Amino acid sequence: GNEKKKFKGDKFPCCPSRVLHLRQIPSDVTEAEVISLGIPFGRVTNLLVLKGKSQAFLEMASEEAAVTMVNYYSLAIPYLRSQPVYIQFSNHKELKTDNLPSQARAQAALQAVNAVQSGSLAAASALPGETVPLPSQGPVLRIIVENVFYPVTLETLYQIFSKFGSVLKIIIFTRTNQFQALLQYADAMNAYHAKMALDGQSIYTGCCTLRIDFSKLTDLKVKYNNEKSRDFTRHDLPSGNGQPPLEPPIAGPFGKKPSFLVINMQVRSLSPPGVVNSQVVTTSAASGHRTIPSDTGAPRNSVVLVSNLNPQAITLHGLFILFGVYGNVHRVKIMFKKRENALVQMADTTQAHLAISYLNGQRLYGRVLHATLSKYQTVQLPSEGQQHHGLTKDYSNSPLHRFKKPGSRNFQNIYPPSATLHLSNIPPSVTVDDLKNLFANKGSTVKAFRFFERDCRMALIQLGSVEEALHALIELHNHDFGENHHLRVSFSKSTI
């Protein structure tokens, strides 16, 4: 009764706080599992679990860690024991649980986690309650990906698992028709937290489910750095196919902020674009993709609200091309009264989350672009005869969609915005100088350029900044060279 009164006001949080309110937690959840939700974002300093109300309160060491956690889980609903958990800020600025009953287990769990994180394993094992099992396994995880629909690459795994610590090596392979991987951390504790967080979760909503166990191996032997294996401590290793050594993967949104190539990530302690249960899959004829209906109660929305745009520079076509890097854009609408705001409707919610993950926070035409899910479920086209000032357009049947074909290689070449662009479909008559001048005429500073040795229809061009690359991609994707050659422009993971 005291607990109920004490936290009655948490229904309507007003502003950021380092105390977080968790709703809809399973009745059989452990304190350690609740704590695990906060571990990737910083130190957890206090905990209160109200199992009778299916609620909990988690206090982080700093408000910044709490804000990062809420922002991440707003796009990536976390799961505890296969049940979605919803997180918001509490009205309380700190948790005062000294006089509350049933706090012994929570405090023991907190002490054990803190002891483990500081390396004091002996102290942790001596704590009562045994709420946090200590890892006796090594630093290598064996990963099986089930229900694969969207391609899973080595870079995908790196961006997901590096959130939990330094990833040293990855080997991917297929066995008994299953996608599998071995992944080695620098420390066994990192492997433990990653397994606790990610086992049973899905990389993309409704598919690519992770099954994780500890491997008996203690050290992986990697001979080549290529798309099948990578030793991140040895950038001098050959690729095994006569190509120069590969560059280490670019730090994705997980390196800067929780988001990414993992769409709608729903992880137990970090939970794609991270990491959901297998659900019925239907096919969307318009997009050529599968769309996964939700049974979690979370909104299934494919409309992105884009704000803080430069109204003097942005166009419907520009938004279509830019967001089209991360999915098939169906409709775009620029607001008539607030032209710095726009709505972009993607083919499905997975693509919407992916676009948000990569484009939110990027500088575009001198402003920092903000992207989030809209409250609208669809972009309405103007009625016949209704004046719309050319601010709404339907792109559902555009020939410029990059992801019309299921299984297309374009799915494997989705990367965050970078200063280096990948060019393809270049006609043989076009020279290095022609391409440099083309980009320079659009205001780009060309830092470096290189044709592919084995295929001169493709090249890499490095510009002065990521913002320049965004502008150039918008301006020059589908540029007509004549003779049925249209330039294809995308972001590259490589540098020159």
Side-chain angles (χ1 to χ4, degrees), residues 102-132:
S102 305
Q103 277 299 98
R105 289 177 59 85
Q107 292 305 313
L110 280 170
Q111 290 177 41
V113 168
N114 291 334
V116 168
Q117 288 183 313
S118 64
S120 189
L121 298 182
S125 61
L127 291 170
E130 297 181 346
T131 49
V132 179

PDB file of all heavy atoms in Angstrom, residues 102-132:
ATOM      1  N   SER A 102      11.035  -5.658   1.038  1.00  0.00           N
ATOM      2  CA  SER A 102      11.364  -6.492  -0.136  1.00  0.00           C
ATOM      3  C   SER A 102      12.415  -5.853  -1.037  1.00  0.00           C
ATOM      4  O   SER A 102      12.386  -6.047  -2.254  1.00  0.00           O
ATOM      5  CB  SER A 102      10.098  -6.776  -0.955  1.00  0.00           C
ATOM      6  OG  SER A 102       9.103  -7.343  -0.147  1.00  0.00           O
ATOM      7  N   GLN A 103      13.328  -5.082  -0.450  1.00  0.00           N
ATOM      8  CA  GLN A 103      14.369  -4.464  -1.269  1.00  0.00           C
ATOM      9  C   GLN A 103      15.702  -5.198  -1.183  1.00  0.00           C
ATOM     10  O   GLN A 103      16.659  -4.816  -1.855  1.00  0.00           O
ATOM     11  CB  GLN A 103      14.583  -3.009  -0.852  1.00  0.00           C
ATOM     12  CG  GLN A 103      13.583  -2.038  -1.492  1.00  0.00           C
ATOM     13  CD  GLN A 103      13.698  -2.041  -3.012  1.00  0.00           C
ATOM     14  OE1 GLN A 103      12.927  -2.708  -3.695  1.00  0.00           O
ATOM     15  NE2 GLN A 103      14.658  -1.318  -3.551  1.00  0.00           N
ATOM     16  N   ALA A 104      15.761  -6.234  -0.371  1.00  0.00           N
ATOM     17  CA  ALA A 104      17.038  -6.934  -0.186  1.00  0.00           C
ATOM     18  C   ALA A 104      17.523  -7.552  -1.490  1.00  0.00           C
ATOM     19  O   ALA A 104      18.702  -7.446  -1.845  1.00  0.00           O
ATOM     20  CB  ALA A 104      16.885  -8.014   0.891  1.00  0.00           C
ATOM     21  N   ARG A 105      16.613  -8.195  -2.226  1.00  0.00           N
ATOM     22  CA  ARG A 105      17.006  -8.837  -3.481  1.00  0.00           C
ATOM     23  C   ARG A 105      17.461  -7.802  -4.502  1.00  0.00           C
ATOM     24  O   ARG A 105      18.436  -7.999  -5.231  1.00  0.00           O
ATOM     25  CB  ARG A 105      15.843  -9.661  -4.042  1.00  0.00           C
ATOM     26  CG  ARG A 105      15.541 -10.924  -3.258  1.00  0.00           C
ATOM     27  CD  ARG A 105      14.331 -11.652  -3.840  1.00  0.00           C
ATOM     28  NE  ARG A 105      14.553 -12.021  -5.223  1.00  0.00           N
ATOM     29  CZ  ARG A 105      15.171 -13.136  -5.593  1.00  0.00           C
ATOM     30  NH1 ARG A 105      15.617 -13.988  -4.688  1.00  0.00           N
ATOM     31  NH2 ARG A 105      15.338 -13.416  -6.870  1.00  0.00           N
ATOM     32  N   ALA A 106      16.739  -6.677  -4.564  1.00  0.00           N
ATOM     33  CA  ALA A 106      17.101  -5.627  -5.529  1.00  0.00           C
ATOM     34  C   ALA A 106      18.479  -5.070  -5.230  1.00  0.00           C
ATOM     35  O   ALA A 106      19.304  -4.875  -6.137  1.00  0.00           O
ATOM     36  CB  ALA A 106      16.055  -4.510  -5.508  1.00  0.00           C
ATOM     37  N   GLN A 107      18.759  -4.809  -3.947  1.00  0.00           N
ATOM     38  CA  GLN A 107      20.057  -4.263  -3.581  1.00  0.00           C
ATOM     39  C   GLN A 107      21.175  -5.279  -3.815  1.00  0.00           C
ATOM     40  O   GLN A 107      22.273  -4.928  -4.248  1.00  0.00           O
ATOM     41  CB  GLN A 107      20.042  -3.802  -2.116  1.00  0.00           C
ATOM     42  CG  GLN A 107      19.146  -2.599  -1.857  1.00  0.00           C
ATOM     43  CD  GLN A 107      19.494  -1.417  -2.746  1.00  0.00           C
ATOM     44  OE1 GLN A 107      20.669  -1.056  -2.884  1.00  0.00           O
ATOM     45  NE2 GLN A 107      18.487  -0.814  -3.365  1.00  0.00           N
ATOM     46  N   ALA A 108      20.883  -6.556  -3.555  1.00  0.00           N
ATOM     47  CA  ALA A 108      21.885  -7.591  -3.804  1.00  0.00           C
ATOM     48  C   ALA A 108      22.196  -7.691  -5.292  1.00  0.00           C
ATOM     49  O   ALA A 108      23.352  -7.842  -5.695  1.00  0.00           O
ATOM     50  CB  ALA A 108      21.385  -8.937  -3.275  1.00  0.00           C
ATOM     51  N   ALA A 109      21.140  -7.590  -6.120  1.00  0.00           N
ATOM     52  CA  ALA A 109      21.341  -7.646  -7.574  1.00  0.00           C
ATOM     53  C   ALA A 109      22.174  -6.463  -8.054  1.00  0.00           C
ATOM     54  O   ALA A 109      23.089  -6.618  -8.877  1.00  0.00           O
ATOM     55  CB  ALA A 109      19.990  -7.663  -8.287  1.00  0.00           C
ATOM     56  N   LEU A 110      21.862  -5.274  -7.526  1.00  0.00           N
ATOM     57  CA  LEU A 110      22.625  -4.079  -7.910  1.00  0.00           C
ATOM     58  C   LEU A 110      24.088  -4.215  -7.502  1.00  0.00           C
ATOM     59  O   LEU A 110      24.995  -3.891  -8.279  1.00  0.00           O
ATOM     60  CB  LEU A 110      22.012  -2.835  -7.270  1.00  0.00           C
ATOM     61  CG  LEU A 110      20.784  -2.242  -7.955  1.00  0.00           C
ATOM     62  CD1 LEU A 110      20.146  -1.174  -7.067  1.00  0.00           C
ATOM     63  CD2 LEU A 110      21.175  -1.640  -9.301  1.00  0.00           C
ATOM     64  N   GLN A 111      24.325  -4.665  -6.281  1.00  0.00           N
ATOM     65  CA  GLN A 111      25.701  -4.805  -5.808  1.00  0.00           C
ATOM     66  C   GLN A 111      26.459  -5.825  -6.649  1.00  0.00           C
ATOM     67  O   GLN A 111      27.637  -5.639  -6.967  1.00  0.00           O
ATOM     68  CB  GLN A 111      25.705  -5.228  -4.344  1.00  0.00           C
ATOM     69  CG  GLN A 111      25.225  -4.133  -3.388  1.00  0.00           C
ATOM     70  CD  GLN A 111      25.178  -4.624  -1.955  1.00  0.00           C
ATOM     71  OE1 GLN A 111      26.071  -5.338  -1.514  1.00  0.00           O
ATOM     72  NE2 GLN A 111      24.126  -4.256  -1.238  1.00  0.00           N
ATOM     73  N   ALA A 112      25.774  -6.914  -7.015  1.00  0.00           N
ATOM     74  CA  ALA A 112      26.437  -7.948  -7.809  1.00  0.00           C
ATOM     75  C   ALA A 112      26.801  -7.421  -9.191  1.00  0.00           C
ATOM     76  O   ALA A 112      27.907  -7.656  -9.683  1.00  0.00           O
ATOM     77  CB  ALA A 112      25.530  -9.167  -7.930  1.00  0.00           C
ATOM     78  N   VAL A 113      25.868  -6.703  -9.824  1.00  0.00           N
ATOM     79  CA  VAL A 113      26.144  -6.149 -11.154  1.00  0.00           C
ATOM     80  C   VAL A 113      27.290  -5.156 -11.092  1.00  0.00           C
ATOM     81  O   VAL A 113      28.206  -5.179 -11.924  1.00  0.00           O
ATOM     82  CB  VAL A 113      24.880  -5.479 -11.740  1.00  0.00           C
ATOM     83  CG1 VAL A 113      25.243  -4.653 -12.964  1.00  0.00           C
ATOM     84  CG2 VAL A 113      23.861  -6.532 -12.108  1.00  0.00           C
ATOM     85  N   ASN A 114      27.265  -4.272 -10.083  1.00  0.00           N
ATOM     86  CA  ASN A 114      28.338  -3.287  -9.955  1.00  0.00           C
ATOM     87  C   ASN A 114      29.674  -3.957  -9.688  1.00  0.00           C
ATOM     88  O   ASN A 114      30.720  -3.536 -10.200  1.00  0.00           O
ATOM     89  CB  ASN A 114      28.011  -2.295  -8.839  1.00  0.00           C
ATOM     90  CG  ASN A 114      26.853  -1.390  -9.198  1.00  0.00           C
ATOM     91  OD1 ASN A 114      26.591  -1.152 -10.381  1.00  0.00           O
ATOM     92  ND2 ASN A 114      26.140  -0.888  -8.194  1.00  0.00           N
ATOM     93  N   ALA A 115      29.658  -5.027  -8.889  1.00  0.00           N
ATOM     94  CA  ALA A 115      30.896  -5.739  -8.604  1.00  0.00           C
ATOM     95  C   ALA A 115      31.434  -6.407  -9.858  1.00  0.00           C
ATOM     96  O   ALA A 115      32.637  -6.393 -10.131  1.00  0.00           O
ATOM     97  CB  ALA A 115      30.665  -6.775  -7.509  1.00  0.00           C
ATOM     98  N   VAL A 116      30.518  -7.002 -10.639  1.00  0.00           N
ATOM     99  CA  VAL A 116      30.940  -7.658 -11.880  1.00  0.00           C
ATOM    100  C   VAL A 116      31.513  -6.645 -12.856  1.00  0.00           C
ATOM    101  O   VAL A 116      32.542  -6.859 -13.491  1.00  0.00           O
ATOM    102  CB  VAL A 116      29.745  -8.415 -12.510  1.00  0.00           C
ATOM    103  CG1 VAL A 116      30.072  -8.845 -13.929  1.00  0.00           C
ATOM    104  CG2 VAL A 116      29.393  -9.630 -11.672  1.00  0.00           C
ATOM    105  N   GLN A 117      30.831  -5.492 -12.999  1.00  0.00           N
ATOM    106  CA  GLN A 117      31.283  -4.480 -13.948  1.00  0.00           C
ATOM    107  C   GLN A 117      32.634  -3.895 -13.549  1.00  0.00           C
ATOM    108  O   GLN A 117      33.408  -3.479 -14.403  1.00  0.00           O
ATOM    109  CB  GLN A 117      30.248  -3.366 -14.067  1.00  0.00           C
ATOM    110  CG  GLN A 117      29.003  -3.815 -14.818  1.00  0.00           C
ATOM    111  CD  GLN A 117      28.012  -2.691 -14.995  1.00  0.00           C
ATOM    112  OE1 GLN A 117      27.701  -1.957 -14.069  1.00  0.00           O
ATOM    113  NE2 GLN A 117      27.500  -2.543 -16.195  1.00  0.00           N
ATOM    114  N   SER A 118      32.923  -3.874 -12.246  1.00  0.00           N
ATOM    115  CA  SER A 118      34.215  -3.339 -11.802  1.00  0.00           C
ATOM    116  C   SER A 118      35.272  -4.426 -11.727  1.00  0.00           C
ATOM    117  O   SER A 118      36.388  -4.178 -11.315  1.00  0.00           O
ATOM    118  CB  SER A 118      34.050  -2.662 -10.439  1.00  0.00           C
ATOM    119  OG  SER A 118      33.670  -3.617  -9.468  1.00  0.00           O
ATOM    120  N   GLY A 119      34.895  -5.647 -12.091  1.00  0.00           N
ATOM    121  CA  GLY A 119      35.863  -6.748 -12.114  1.00  0.00           C
ATOM    122  C   GLY A 119      36.010  -7.470 -10.798  1.00  0.00           C
ATOM    123  O   GLY A 119      36.873  -8.330 -10.645  1.00  0.00           O
ATOM    124  N   SER A 120      35.173  -7.144  -9.820  1.00  0.00           N
ATOM    125  CA  SER A 120      35.312  -7.763  -8.500  1.00  0.00           C
ATOM    126  C   SER A 120      34.435  -9.000  -8.422  1.00  0.00           C
ATOM    127  O   SER A 120      33.427  -9.052  -7.734  1.00  0.00           O
ATOM    128  CB  SER A 120      34.908  -6.751  -7.419  1.00  0.00           C
ATOM    129  OG  SER A 120      35.207  -7.225  -6.155  1.00  0.00           O
ATOM    130  N   LEU A 121      34.839 -10.072  -9.144  1.00  0.00           N
ATOM    131  CA  LEU A 121      34.010 -11.267  -9.235  1.00  0.00           C
ATOM    132  C   LEU A 121      33.876 -11.975  -7.896  1.00  0.00           C
ATOM    133  O   LEU A 121      32.822 -12.504  -7.561  1.00  0.00           O
ATOM    134  CB  LEU A 121      34.602 -12.221 -10.275  1.00  0.00           C
ATOM    135  CG  LEU A 121      34.660 -11.683 -11.701  1.00  0.00           C
ATOM    136  CD1 LEU A 121      35.232 -12.763 -12.618  1.00  0.00           C
ATOM    137  CD2 LEU A 121      33.301 -11.252 -12.187  1.00  0.00           C
ATOM    138  N   ALA A 122      34.945 -11.996  -7.112  1.00  0.00           N
ATOM    139  CA  ALA A 122      34.883 -12.685  -5.829  1.00  0.00           C
ATOM    140  C   ALA A 122      33.867 -12.030  -4.911  1.00  0.00           C
ATOM    141  O   ALA A 122      33.083 -12.697  -4.232  1.00  0.00           O
ATOM    142  CB  ALA A 122      36.259 -12.683  -5.172  1.00  0.00           C
ATOM    143  N   ALA A 123      33.871 -10.689  -4.902  1.00  0.00           N
ATOM    144  CA  ALA A 123      32.917  -9.981  -4.055  1.00  0.00           C
ATOM    145  C   ALA A 123      31.494 -10.246  -4.506  1.00  0.00           C
ATOM    146  O   ALA A 123      30.584 -10.425  -3.696  1.00  0.00           O
ATOM    147  CB  ALA A 123      33.212  -8.476  -4.095  1.00  0.00           C
ATOM    148  N   ALA A 124      31.284 -10.290  -5.817  1.00  0.00           N
ATOM    149  CA  ALA A 124      29.940 -10.507  -6.336  1.00  0.00           C
ATOM    150  C   ALA A 124      29.425 -11.890  -5.964  1.00  0.00           C
ATOM    151  O   ALA A 124      28.267 -12.063  -5.614  1.00  0.00           O
ATOM    152  CB  ALA A 124      29.933 -10.344  -7.854  1.00  0.00           C
ATOM    153  N   SER A 125      30.301 -12.874  -6.061  1.00  0.00           N
ATOM    154  CA  SER A 125      29.858 -14.238  -5.792  1.00  0.00           C
ATOM    155  C   SER A 125      29.533 -14.457  -4.322  1.00  0.00           C
ATOM    156  O   SER A 125      28.837 -15.396  -3.967  1.00  0.00           O
ATOM    157  CB  SER A 125      30.928 -15.237  -6.228  1.00  0.00           C
ATOM    158  OG  SER A 125      32.128 -15.016  -5.499  1.00  0.00           O
ATOM    159  N   ALA A 126      30.042 -13.563  -3.472  1.00  0.00           N
ATOM    160  CA  ALA A 126      29.789 -13.715  -2.051  1.00  0.00           C
ATOM    161  C   ALA A 126      28.483 -13.072  -1.623  1.00  0.00           C
ATOM    162  O   ALA A 126      28.040 -13.241  -0.499  1.00  0.00           O
ATOM    163  CB  ALA A 126      30.942 -13.093  -1.240  1.00  0.00           C
ATOM    164  N   LEU A 127      27.823 -12.355  -2.539  1.00  0.00           N
ATOM    165  CA  LEU A 127      26.604 -11.657  -2.179  1.00  0.00           C
ATOM    166  C   LEU A 127      25.442 -12.625  -2.045  1.00  0.00           C
ATOM    167  O   LEU A 127      25.370 -13.623  -2.748  1.00  0.00           O
ATOM    168  CB  LEU A 127      26.272 -10.598  -3.235  1.00  0.00           C
ATOM    169  CG  LEU A 127      27.231  -9.413  -3.270  1.00  0.00           C
ATOM    170  CD1 LEU A 127      26.966  -8.568  -4.499  1.00  0.00           C
ATOM    171  CD2 LEU A 127      27.096  -8.573  -2.017  1.00  0.00           C
ATOM    172  N   PRO A 128      24.482 -12.322  -1.157  1.00  0.00           N
ATOM    173  CA  PRO A 128      23.339 -13.222  -0.972  1.00  0.00           C
ATOM    174  C   PRO A 128      22.376 -13.120  -2.142  1.00  0.00           C
ATOM    175  O   PRO A 128      22.368 -12.144  -2.877  1.00  0.00           O
ATOM    176  CB  PRO A 128      22.689 -12.683   0.317  1.00  0.00           C
ATOM    177  CG  PRO A 128      23.050 -11.221   0.331  1.00  0.00           C
ATOM    178  CD  PRO A 128      24.424 -11.150  -0.255  1.00  0.00           C
ATOM    179  N   GLY A 129      21.530 -14.120  -2.276  1.00  0.00           N
ATOM    180  CA  GLY A 129      20.439 -14.041  -3.249  1.00  0.00           C
ATOM    181  C   GLY A 129      20.760 -14.675  -4.575  1.00  0.00           C
ATOM    182  O   GLY A 129      19.881 -15.173  -5.258  1.00  0.00           O
ATOM    183  N   GLU A 130      22.013 -14.638  -4.992  1.00  0.00           N
ATOM    184  CA  GLU A 130      22.444 -15.200  -6.269  1.00  0.00           C
ATOM    185  C   GLU A 130      21.558 -14.731  -7.413  1.00  0.00           C
ATOM    186  O   GLU A 130      21.150 -15.492  -8.281  1.00  0.00           O
ATOM    187  CB  GLU A 130      22.453 -16.722  -6.204  1.00  0.00           C
ATOM    188  CG  GLU A 130      23.428 -17.257  -5.194  1.00  0.00           C
ATOM    189  CD  GLU A 130      23.439 -18.769  -5.153  1.00  0.00           C
ATOM    190  OE1 GLU A 130      22.503 -19.374  -5.708  1.00  0.00           O
ATOM    191  OE2 GLU A 130      24.385 -19.327  -4.564  1.00  0.00           O
ATOM    192  N   THR A 131      21.225 -13.432  -7.401  1.00  0.00           N
ATOM    193  CA  THR A 131      20.323 -12.912  -8.427  1.00  0.00           C
ATOM    194  C   THR A 131      21.034 -12.669  -9.737  1.00  0.00           C
ATOM    195  O   THR A 131      20.392 -12.568 -10.766  1.00  0.00           O
ATOM    196  CB  THR A 131      19.690 -11.598  -7.946  1.00  0.00           C
ATOM    197  OG1 THR A 131      20.729 -10.749  -7.454  1.00  0.00           O
ATOM    198  CG2 THR A 131      18.690 -11.853  -6.843  1.00  0.00           C
ATOM    199  N   VAL A 132      22.363 -12.540  -9.716  1.00  0.00           N
ATOM    200  CA  VAL A 132      23.096 -12.328 -10.962  1.00  0.00           C
ATOM    201  C   VAL A 132      24.084 -13.462 -11.169  1.00  0.00           C
ATOM    202  O   VAL A 132      25.108 -13.530 -10.500  1.00  0.00           O
ATOM    203  CB  VAL A 132      23.856 -10.975 -10.934  1.00  0.00           C
ATOM    204  CG1 VAL A 132      24.624 -10.789 -12.233  1.00  0.00           C
ATOM    205  CG2 VAL A 132      22.889  -9.820 -10.728  1.00  0.00           C
TER     206      VAL A 132
END
